Amino acid sequence: PETTKVLLCITGDFAFEGLERQYTAIGMILEEVCEIIKKRYPSVSIHPVFVPGNHDCDFKSEHEDVRKTMLASPTLNVGDPKQFKLCTNIQENFYAFCEEWSGKYGAFYCNNDKVLTINELNFDTEDIHLKFHCINTSWCSKVHEEKGKMKITTGKMKMVTDSLPCKERDDIVITMIHHDAEWLDWDDKEVWNDYHKKYSDIILVGHDHAPEFIWRQNYDNTSNYFIKGNQLYDKKNPDQSGFNILKLNTNVNPILFHQFFKCFC
């Protein structure tokens, strides 16, 4: 415990409709989780990392009409922070929640004006740089999601990967994303594949509510761990709850995966 850091990673859908009161509720749950950990292991540090999902969008927001116009515009450029912010205004309650948790626990999260935000956690006793690539895929979400039509870019633009610094030997890159590649359109699948093969060691995915742990060896000898999260609460099946624990030993570099699933049937 003295050398352990707890990374509380949530890959979206904190709320159901992106409403303020829903973030109050999940905040109480997460506060209790953190308090129990700190009570049991006082020396352990906790570092929350958040990305938004489609349920973190308030589609009844006053900003939605402007956003729909932006999404339909052929001149939309998600590389422009002002334009991108107009698309994420319906996630304003999510970002207010993130700012609150940043003040309490130093939480990392996506910025509201860019697709990809890099947050870095350095270890005091080891020369290891843990980098979180937080990707917002729900900037273009709709009330009814359409598989194969989600975007992380517009046109052929290479997101921000062209300007990313090279991955160093001591970097461990954890990419957090709500929608996986199956939800992206054809062009963006290519962008995604180029990106994660070059940068990602571990990829944490949400949305599909089906836990999964996959190790992939790429043709260029790079490899990635793809981990899909379970849902902590299911409205249609409220008696179930699940989450994953990934244990990473930075000294000998093994990864241990544990899936927890509870059904109160």
Side-chain angles (χ1 to χ4, degrees), residues 107-127:
F108 300 139
Y109 55 94
C110 296
N111 290 349
N112 63 353
D113 62 353
K114 61 179 70 175
V115 172
L116 187 153
T117 304
I118 299 177
N119 299 285
E120 186 168 337
L121 178 63
N122 294 319
F123 292 81
D124 296 331
T125 58
E126 302 171 64
D127 189 22

Side-chain angles (χ1 to χ4, degrees), residues 11-19 22-23 51-60 64 67 87 90-91 94 135-146 150 177-180 183 206-209:
T11 51
D13 288 354
F14 292 73
F16 184 67
E17 298 166 308
L19 301 180
Q22 295 168 354
Y23 291 101
V51 295
N54 52 298
H55 284 285
D56 294 305
C57 299
D58 178 5
F59 294 107
K60 296 179 181 178
E64 177 60 358
R67 177 177 174 272
C87 297
I90 63 170
Q91 298 172 334
F94 165 79
I135 298 177
N136 185 349
T137 55
S138 55
W139 69 272
C140 61
S141 284
K142 300 178 181 179
V143 175
H144 301 292
E145 298 279 58
E146 297 180 86
M150 303 291 297
I177 189 169
H178 186 66
H179 302 83
D180 72 2
W183 290 87
H207 193 60
D208 290 330
H209 304 168

Side-chain angles (χ1 to χ4, degrees), residues 23-67:
Y23 291 101
T24 300
I26 188 62
M28 293 171 64
I29 294 171
L30 296 181
E31 284 276 10
E32 185 175 358
V33 170
C34 292
E35 288 172 4
I36 290 172
I37 293 173
K38 292 297 289 183
K39 184 176 181 180
R40 188 173 298 178
Y41 303 108
S43 60
V44 165
S45 59
I46 301 175
H47 306 272
V49 193
F50 303 149
V51 295
N54 52 298
H55 284 285
D56 294 305
C57 299
D58 178 5
F59 294 107
K60 296 179 181 178
S61 166
E62 62 182 356
H63 304 293
E64 177 60 358
D65 288 341
V66 174
R67 177 177 174 272

Side-chain angles (χ1 to χ4, degrees), residues 196-197 214-226:
H196 78 70
K197 289 175 183 176
I214 298 173
W215 178 77
R216 292 181 182 173
Q217 179 80 40
N218 302 314
Y219 66 87
D220 59 357
N221 291 325
T222 61
S223 61
N224 319 97
Y225 291 90
F226 283 78

